[in-house]
Amino acid sequence: MPGDCENEAFLAYKNDSRMPCRYGAKCYQKNPLHHEKYKHPPKKKDEKATQKKQTGSKRKIEEPNCDREESETISLPNNLETEETHLGTKSNDEKVIENIEQEIKEESTISHNNSNSADDDSFTILSPDNMEENILNLFLVKMPEDFYQLYEFCKLTSNEDPLKTLKPINLYLVGPYDILNCKLKSFKNNDKEKYLRHWRYYYDPPEFQTIIRGDKDGLHFGYWRDEITEKPIFVAKNKADVNCVIEPVAENIFGTINNCIEDALKVANLFEKPSISQLHKRLKEFAHKHNITLERKTDKMRSRERKVVARTFHKAGIVVPYNKKTQLGYRELAVMDKELQKILKDIDEAGSSEERKKAMSKLDEIVRLATIAADECDFGTCLELAHDLFSSGSVHVEKIALQMFSIAYTHLDRLGFLEIVKAHLKDRKRGTDLSVI
């Protein structure tokens, strides 16, 4: 009997343990992975599909049907309809957002409660024989071979402090190099988090790890990695006193320094050129001996460029797993960059709480649509929004940026990056004196 089949279908839906799709019977998704993750109520035989076809190279975020209410009730046969059949109004990631602030408060409370514990007085001694492990322990990332090769070069070149070998071109080794140079011999265990902020500039996202600083405009260089557990893709630079733009320079640190030396020689005076030229000669000899490329743009960097799904405000771009065939992994934000920048500017420059609230409501809608995208496995959307909010530098949206980072990094299994950005936002500083040692 048709009625019995319908009842059985609704009963099967009710007993399905999967999370219900927020759009219910009106869901437009055709992606099999979405239907595998979320359950959908059975449609009546006379009900016609009204799903929209997706167009363009990237899937756009669809606005919810205006006729739908946030909380949707599924109409079941009378003998099956109960209060349990009403769908919740919040998606899984919306619940994550609500919990993040509470988690931060709990972490703060735990930290405060532990302040009088015996563990506070315990120290970790850094072994000089295991520097790789020391750096991984403090910065949560592994350094590539060229990082250690540069330190070896500096020790061979400099008669004094290897961290100042590049002084002729106004550059200095910092960050993890301070550990390699034994500037830190031990650390208090309850203070470990602060080392994630060691030489972390204001606009440095967690993917960027500073290793060299300049002496003007907040210039600094660092490794960029898309995955916390993988080797860096390139070395980039940023001028933190100027803007948030992160510019790739070369695949490794030797290519980066070679480029800096070439630029320095163009403007050096007669007294500066000899020492810079000598440094250049030694660098090229060392690179040749150890088969280190000095190329600025390598195949590895070009390959990564093709994988960038969104450029973001800092221009370095983000990379997430993306299936071009199913268009799963990323969809564009609900607004263009210029519109988002205007909203953020209105939030920053608001003359009253009412004005700021009005501007924030526009951002709230963008956040809501990004969380819907994450619910449907487009995690790159939340990551893009997180980077944009972080790169804006606005203190008013840092909490929202952290929420977006939390969703993205959790789903992408990049939890080390989440630890880094949490530590950074707890004490985010402008300026150029950023050592915590």
Side-chain angles (χ1 to χ4, degrees), residues 213-327:
R213 71 169 179 87
D215 63 356
K216 186 179 180 182
D217 295 331
L219 173 66
H220 58 290
F221 299 82
Y223 288 117
W224 180 280
R225 43 172 59 81
D226 294 312
E227 293 283 353
I228 187 76
T229 56
E230 294 182 2
K231 293 180 180 179
I233 302 296
F234 52 73
V235 177
K237 68 178 180 180
N238 167 252
K239 294 182 178 179
D241 290 347
V242 179
N243 55 39
C244 68
V245 175
I246 296 173
E247 179 186 346
V249 181
E251 180 178 313
N252 62 61
I253 195 60
F254 283 87
T256 300
I257 295 171
N258 182 65
N259 179 66
C260 292
I261 292 175
E262 290 176 349
D263 288 344
L265 284 171
K266 294 175 184 177
V267 296
N269 58 42
L270 292 175
F271 298 101
E272 296 168 335
K273 278 190 176 181
S275 60
I276 297 176
S277 296
Q278 182 66 17
L279 177 64
H280 199 193
K281 179 184 176 183
R282 291 181 176 179
L283 183 83
K284 289 191 290 186
E285 288 175 349
F286 187 94
H288 179 73
K289 180 180 178 181
H290 293 84
N291 197 29
I292 301 171
T293 180
L294 299 179
E295 286 185 71
R296 292 196 60 182
K297 194 84 169 179
T298 64
D299 290 341
K300 181 180 175 182
M301 294 172 69
R302 293 187 189 94
S303 176
R304 188 262 181 186
E305 189 66 20
R306 291 191 291 270
K307 297 175 184 176
V308 170
V309 296
R311 188 56 56 192
T312 70
F313 288 178
H314 56 59
K315 307 301 181 186
I318 57 169
V319 172
V320 297
Y322 179 67
N323 188 318
K324 289 184 178 180
K325 188 174 182 180
T326 62
Q327 295 187 327

Side-chain angles (χ1 to χ4, degrees), residues 45-58:
K45 284 188 175 182
D46 59 347
E47 192 176 81
K48 294 183 179 180
T50 57
Q51 297 174 349
K52 289 185 178 181
K53 291 184 179 180
Q54 298 296 325
T55 58
S57 60
K58 291 181 181 177

Side-chain angles (χ1 to χ4, degrees), residues 21-127:
C21 172
R22 66 184 289 117
Y23 294 113
K26 296 183 180 180
C27 176
Y28 63 86
Q29 279 281 350
K30 293 182 179 179
N31 194 303
L33 292 178
H34 170 79
H35 286 271
E36 184 179 328
K37 182 176 179 181
Y38 299 97
K39 66 178 181 179
H40 298 74
K43 296 179 181 179
K44 295 179 181 179
K45 284 188 175 182
D46 59 347
E47 192 176 81
K48 294 183 179 180
T50 57
Q51 297 174 349
K52 289 185 178 181
K53 291 184 179 180
Q54 298 296 325
T55 58
S57 60
K58 291 181 181 177
R59 184 177 53 201
K60 300 285 186 179
I61 295 177
E62 294 287 335
E63 288 282 348
N65 191 316
C66 296
D67 296 328
R68 283 172 48 84
E69 295 181 355
E70 277 297 306
S71 179
E72 178 178 333
T73 302
I74 301 173
S75 298
L76 302 183
N78 292 334
N79 61 327
L80 292 178
E81 189 167 1
T82 68
E83 289 183 0
E84 293 176 2
T85 63
H86 292 265
L87 290 180
T89 61
K90 294 183 176 64
S91 69
N92 191 40
D93 284 316
E94 285 173 323
K95 292 176 183 176
V96 170
I97 286 180
E98 289 184 349
N99 290 335
I100 289 169
E101 187 173 345
Q102 182 61 32
E103 288 175 5
I104 294 171
K105 289 179 180 178
E106 288 175 359
E107 286 177 6
S108 178
T109 302
I110 291 171
S111 176
H112 177 74
N113 291 340
N114 287 341
S115 62
N116 296 321
S117 69
D119 288 343
D120 277 4
D121 295 326
S122 65
F123 284 80
T124 294
I125 307 298
L126 298 178
S127 170

